[in-house]
Structure formats: C-alpha cells, structure tokens
Amino acid sequence: MRDGPNITAIAALIGDHARAQVLNLLMAGKALTATELADAAGVTRQTISTHLAKLVDAGLLEVEAQGRHRYFRIAGADVAQMLESLMGVAFGVGSLPLQPGPREPALRKARVCYDHLAGELGVLVYERLAARGAFGIGADGIVLTETGERMAAELGIEPGALSKGRRPVCRTCLDWSERRHHLAGLLGGAILDRCEQLGWARRLPQTRVMTFSAAGEAALRDWLG
C-alpha cells in the first residue's frame, strides 16, 4: 500500500538508540548543546554531530546559534506529541528498562512534556479542570470556557494573553505513564510556568522530573478544588 505519507524515514531515525536518547532528553523542554547531548547519549562529539544533522534535516529538531554555541531543541509541539505517544505505546507493551532508575517513581509523579506538566499531577490538572467545566468543545478540539478563564486568572494567568499565540490554547496529550490525557497547548505551558514561578515545583537538572514540595502540591490541589 503506497497511499499516505511515508513514515519509514522518521521511524528509522527515532529507532536509533542514541537519537532516541537525544529526543527523550530534549523532551524536558530545554535547548542543549551537541556536547551535552553527546555526554547524555554516551557517544562521541563526531557521532552526535551526525545524529543531530539527520534529526534537524528531518524536521524533528531545530537549531539556534548563539555565539560559538549551537543549541538544539524539539522542533515543535507536534513532534513532542508524537514522541509522548510513542512512549505510551512502549510503556503499554512493557518496553521498560530492565532496571528502572531511582528517578522512575518521580518521573511518573510529575514531569515536563516539552513545555507542559505530565505524569500523575499533569493528568490531575486536566481532569479536575474538565470536571469543573473549564473546557468546551470547539471546531478544532477543546476550548477554554468562561469558567476556565476565571480559574486561569486565579492562578495568575491572563486569558487574553493566551489567545495571542499561534498554538492552540488548550490541547490534550496522551500521557505515557498514566494512559490518560494531560493538558498541553498554551494553557498547559502557562500552568507549568506558574508552578515554577510560585515556588510550588522545580525541575531536576538534566531530567524531565518536576519535584513538587508538599506545600506546592497542596496549593495545586487547592487551586483545582
């Protein structure tokens, strides 16, 4: 069957272990240099340069030059959603590390998914907001209702500022560890930013883990009602 886009090239790129490691690390939402990515993937600088060039050419990564350094990041929300979905499939079929690391429980509790909150607490945010009537159904998916705008404002997020972006304000993303949806889009990113700004949570360096303090998690749950 030859109909539709050819996915073999993208699948082959992601299927390489080192490139998969790079993509997973960049899902934390931070732009990293080739040297940082080489160290994380356990390959040489020359090898990582070849891998990164292929990922950039395929449109999976984008690169920005700043002084003598070049920084690589996930090319966009669509790429991030694809990677999160693939992780969900891998998790569902039992494709897990033989010896899960010490951060594994924390990763499932709360983590960064490109630019928004994922894991148990990310799913909690979406489901509590939905239960309180924060979302309606629009032509392109879920949209923010007046109730949702009011709740966003209570957290210090200006609803009007969200509508100025080109990305959707609200979008669902299937969570790989919970197998339920968490909240993506501009609102999802804004909520993650506010959790950090308010001191409720912090990112663990060089990981996707978001660590909430006991008081921070309590404050998040209180806001969600």
Side-chain angles (χ1 to χ4, degrees):
M1 182 176 178
R2 300 186 180 185
D3 297 334
N6 185 350
I7 67 171
T8 56
I10 298 297
L13 280 171
I14 298 173
D16 178 86
H17 179 73
R19 290 194 288 266
Q21 287 283 90
V22 165
L23 292 167
N24 184 55
L25 188 61
L26 291 175
M27 281 289 282
K30 300 291 186 181
L32 299 174
T33 65
T35 298
E36 292 169 324
L37 292 168
D39 292 341
V43 298
T44 66
R45 309 295 189 270
Q46 183 178 2
T47 299
I48 203 67
S49 294
T50 301
H51 287 314
L52 291 172
K54 291 179 179 180
L55 292 169
V56 171
D57 287 344
L60 298 180
L61 297 184
E62 59 184 22
V63 58
E64 179 181 348
Q66 194 171 82
R68 295 181 301 165
H69 299 288
R70 299 172 76 222
Y71 291 89
F72 296 84
R73 59 169 58 85
I74 297 293
D78 289 345
V79 176
Q81 186 175 20
M82 174 192 68
L83 294 171
E84 183 78 0
S85 296
L86 282 173
M87 292 174 194
V89 173
F91 182 71
V93 300
S95 181
L96 299 171
L98 294 177
Q99 293 183 326
R103 288 193 296 262
E104 191 75 17
L107 194 67
R108 297 186 190 186
K109 175 77 173 182
R111 64 180 179 276
V112 179
C113 177
Y114 181 54
D115 67 349
H116 52 269
L117 184 64
E120 177 187 324
L121 292 182
V123 170
L124 176 74
V125 168
Y126 172 67
E127 292 185 346
R128 287 278 182 90
L129 287 174
R132 293 189 60 183
F135 308 121
I137 302 298
D140 299 317
I142 61 172
V143 295
L144 201 60
T145 64
E146 289 186 4
T147 297
E149 291 180 350
R150 185 174 64 253
M151 291 188 69
E154 289 172 358
L155 193 62
I157 299 169
E158 176 53 53
L162 296 175
S163 61
K164 297 177 182 178
R166 282 184 278 180
R167 289 173 53 201
V169 173
C170 306
R171 183 173 61 79
T172 58
C173 184
L174 185 61
D175 195 278
W176 69 254
S177 58
E178 292 295 300
R179 308 309 296 275
R180 308 201 308 271
H181 287 109
H182 59 243
L183 181 65
L186 292 173
L187 178 60
I191 290 172
L192 176 64
D193 289 344
R194 287 299 290 158
C195 287
E196 292 187 273
Q197 293 163 4
L198 292 168
W200 294 355
R202 63 182 181 86
R203 305 187 190 208
L204 290 189
Q206 303 302 319
T207 76
R208 295 176 63 187
V209 174
M210 287 293 297
T211 301
F212 278 74
S213 66
E217 182 175 341
L220 177 68
R221 290 176 179 273
D222 183 61
W223 169 63
L224 293 169

